[in-house]
Amino acid sequence: MNNWLLRIPQKYWAYLALSLWGALSFMLLHKTSYGIDEGAAQALLLAWSVADNVVSPIVTLGLPDFRAVFLAPVGFLWTGNVLAAKIATIFVMSGAAWAFHAWRQRSGDSEGALLATGLLLISPLALDQIDTISVAPYLLITFALGAWSDQMYRESPQAFGGMYFAQLFLCLVSITLHPAGLAYPLALLWTWYRTPLNTKHRNYFFGGIVFTVLLALVLTLGWSHVEWFTNPIKGLSSLLLGSADSDEIGAFRWITGIGMLFILLLVIWKQASNLWADLLGRILLVALIIGVLTGDEIFSMVALTTCLYWGLPLLLQKRTSSHRGFWGQRGVVLLLTVVISTTFMTIDKARYQKVLEGKLAPRDNLIKALVENIESFSKDEHKQNSPTEKPFRIASQWPARTMLACQCDTLPLPPSAKDEQALFAMLRGVNYLIFDPRDPVNSSLSHNLALMDAGKVETVALQQGGVIVEIKESPFAQKQ
């Protein structure tokens, strides 16, 4: 029996381990339409609209990021199924972890790569990114594919061949996903500047990358779904504790975030030369520098990947050279691995309890309250045998997420108006407004709504995640 098990190739054991991880990860995900990232919701809705040939107001939100390319197959095959998109994201995350492991193993760090991959896959932050269909798994696999593509091109260079255009396409994908995605084309430019195969190939890449970057920046139009200059300490605290449910963070998260920042800086300081010498490490290093400007969980995911794949080898190398015996060489690493994995699994268990209880983030609770209000209104209309069903149109701060949850026409919030009368005129055909009044961007909207007459608007719900306002009187009817 033992001989038969030993004859099984290691890659099949890896397939089995990833399959078990995928099944367990699926149990930790929400099975509803709530909690989806705004950009992912827009990409899914666009794919579903194209698949069913349905005219949708989602086109008014502009072009989605290139998650739409990854999610297009499941969008066409399982239209309207959010779980299919989450399962696809599980596959993407497993592919990214596999690629990072193979890259670090090729660099001679097989032991550290194995430990880092295991911790990355069970981290609460990675599960949060999968559950929200976030940019992070797609950005990581784009970075890994980009590094492998460059290696394959250098092994068999062919001007304007498949690997050349593959790298330009990956540059386009990474930039549209997130500002940190600029790290890949920048790192690639530096690579071809410092170590070109020849002048002709270098010029080809310089021209192609510059053109691709400019095209991607035009398509993104400033990364509308990205929040700039958020607190990076909050994001770094999620490395160990997972995503925060609210914008406010307590003392424990502050301490954890500062500790993670210290560890990240220590790893970068110790491994700076190794990171910069390695293309994938160089990409992550540049992504960290750019990601500080956003300070979101995408930045945190890049930081977690850097700490795991380049931080654990520091402990392994140091202990190997200065101690003898298993515990002397691996004692600290083993203890640290047990502590981190236990912490991760404890938070994962708490997450599982939240999923069973149906607990949602504050903004998702607000959207759920809106859906319940619309459903109750529709039931009342049905009981009254209304001859015409009233169409609902919503203006939302999160239009794609709201449209995905309520399955009704949703538009972005109206622009700033000079007074309440001008705002009321803009709300023609809109039944509900849903937004966060504490957001400085919505200060003008909140002020104008507060000055309106009570008969025109009514506050339906005021929660931690925001407010729902019903438009009681139609601006069009008032003019008549």
Side-chain angles (χ1 to χ4, degrees):
M1 183 66 179
N2 292 333
N3 293 334
W4 178 77
L5 291 176
L6 292 174
R7 287 198 298 268
I8 299 177
Q10 291 185 355
K11 65 178 181 179
Y12 293 113
W13 289 113
Y15 293 151
L16 177 61
L18 285 176
S19 300
L20 292 175
W21 168 81
L24 293 174
S25 299
F26 179 76
M27 297 173 59
L28 299 176
L29 305 181
H30 288 91
K31 310 303 187 294
T32 63
S33 300
Y34 301 104
I36 307 300
D37 180 77
E38 178 69 16
Q42 183 180 350
L44 280 174
L45 289 169
L46 182 61
W48 295 345
S49 298
V50 174
D52 285 349
N53 294 321
V54 176
V55 178
S56 171
I58 194 64
V59 296
T60 63
L61 305 181
L63 291 174
D65 56 51
F66 269 59
R67 267 176 297 185
V69 176
F70 293 96
L71 297 174
V74 295
F76 277 83
L77 294 175
W78 295 280
T79 304
N81 194 331
V82 177
L83 282 180
K86 292 189 177 184
I87 293 173
T89 309
I90 290 178
F91 279 101
V92 170
M93 187 65 214
S94 62
W98 185 291
F100 271 85
H101 174 269
W103 183 271
R104 294 298 296 159
Q105 188 178 39
R106 182 189 62 87
S107 303
D109 180 32
S110 58
E111 187 178 6
L114 185 62
L115 292 173
T117 302
L119 292 175
L120 177 66
L121 290 176
I122 67 172
S123 63
L125 180 59
L127 294 175
D128 289 335
Q129 302 307 296
I130 294 172
D131 196 18
T132 60
I133 317 180
S134 171
V135 165
Y138 300 93
L139 190 64
L140 289 180
I141 198 171
T142 301
F143 288 166
L145 291 176
W148 282 107
S149 299
D150 179 75
Q151 182 189 17
M152 294 173 65
Y153 183 88
R154 289 175 176 273
E155 291 175 354
S156 56
Q158 183 179 0
F160 302 108
M163 285 298 101
Y164 172 81
F165 288 105
Q167 291 179 79
L168 295 186
F169 177 73
L170 291 172
C171 288
L172 183 66
V173 171
S174 64
I175 296 173
T176 60
L177 290 175
H178 194 268
L182 281 167
Y184 173 54
L186 292 177
L188 195 60
L189 278 173
W190 177 262
T191 301
W192 280 96
Y193 172 72
R194 298 295 296 178
T195 57
L197 294 178
N198 54 57
T199 304
K200 183 176 67 174
H201 286 273
R202 180 179 64 184
N203 294 335
Y204 289 157
F205 269 92
F206 277 10
I209 292 173
V210 170
F211 173 78
T212 303
V213 169
L214 294 177
L215 176 61
L217 293 177
V218 171
L219 292 176
T220 58
L221 295 177
W223 297 283
S224 58
H225 302 311
V226 174
E227 296 182 9
W228 293 89
F229 306 110
T230 57
N231 186 0
I233 300 300
K234 174 188 174 183
L236 288 173
S237 68
S238 62
L239 267 69
L240 193 63
L241 305 177
S243 302
D245 292 334
S246 62
D247 294 334
E248 299 180 358
I249 59 175
F252 184 64
R253 278 196 173 267
W254 270 103
I255 296 173
T256 304
I258 293 173
M260 292 299 102
L261 177 61
F262 174 77
I263 294 174
L264 176 62
L265 293 176
L266 182 63
V267 171
I268 294 175
W269 177 51
K270 292 287 187 178
Q271 292 277 50
S273 58
N274 293 329
L275 280 166
W276 194 253
D278 183 273
L279 177 57
L280 187 54
R282 189 182 309 130
I283 294 171
L284 293 177
L285 189 59
V286 179
L288 286 172
I289 297 173
I290 301 175
V292 172
L293 299 177
T294 61
D296 55 10
E297 292 182 353
I298 313 304
F299 162 72
S300 304
M301 196 67 182
V302 176
L304 175 63
T305 305
T306 305
C307 289
L308 290 176
Y309 283 96
W310 273 266
L312 288 175
L314 286 174
L315 297 175
L316 293 170
Q317 294 171 2
K318 184 176 181 180
R319 291 294 167 177
T320 300
S321 61
S322 59
H323 292 76
R324 295 179 180 180
F326 174 79
W327 288 104
Q329 295 178 0
R330 299 293 183 265
V332 174
V333 178
L334 180 61
L335 179 62
L336 183 64
T337 302
V338 170
V339 171
I340 295 176
S341 59
T342 303
T343 304
F344 283 174
M345 288 187 289
T346 301
I347 298 174
D348 292 340
K349 180 180 178 181
R351 175 190 179 82
Y352 181 65
Q353 294 295 329
K354 289 183 179 180
V355 171
L356 291 180
E357 297 171 2
K359 292 184 178 180
L360 300 171
R363 289 181 179 176
D364 296 306
N365 279 323
L366 183 70
I367 296 175
K368 184 178 180 180
L370 173 65
V371 174
E372 292 173 349
N373 188 77
I374 293 175
E375 290 177 350
S376 63
F377 186 87
S378 299
K379 290 179 181 179
D380 293 339
E381 289 287 316
H382 182 70
K383 290 180 180 179
Q384 297 174 5
N385 297 322
S386 177
T388 59
E389 184 178 354
K390 180 181 178 181
F392 285 97
R393 184 170 296 166
I394 301 167
S396 173
Q397 183 176 351
W398 317 280
R401 294 169 62 181
T402 306
M403 191 186 309
L404 187 67
C406 72
Q407 301 178 5
C408 53
D409 292 345
T410 310
L411 300 172
L413 292 175
S416 299
K418 61 179 181 180
D419 53 31
E420 64 273 15
Q421 287 80 13
L423 173 64
F424 193 65
M426 295 179 188
L427 298 178
R428 176 179 174 181
V430 175
N431 304 104
Y432 291 93
L433 291 170
I434 176 171
F435 63 98
D436 184 1
R438 292 176 291 274
D439 193 331
V441 178
N442 301 325
S443 59
S444 175
L445 177 62
S446 302
H447 177 73
N448 289 329
L449 287 173
L451 296 178
M452 282 189 187
D453 298 334
K456 295 180 179 179
V457 296
E458 179 183 351
T459 301
V460 176
L462 179 60
Q463 300 182 4
Q464 181 182 357
V467 63
I468 302 173
V469 178
E470 182 180 2
I471 310 302
K472 303 293 290 185
E473 182 182 343
S474 172
F476 179 72
Q478 186 188 43
K479 288 183 179 179
Q480 290 182 334

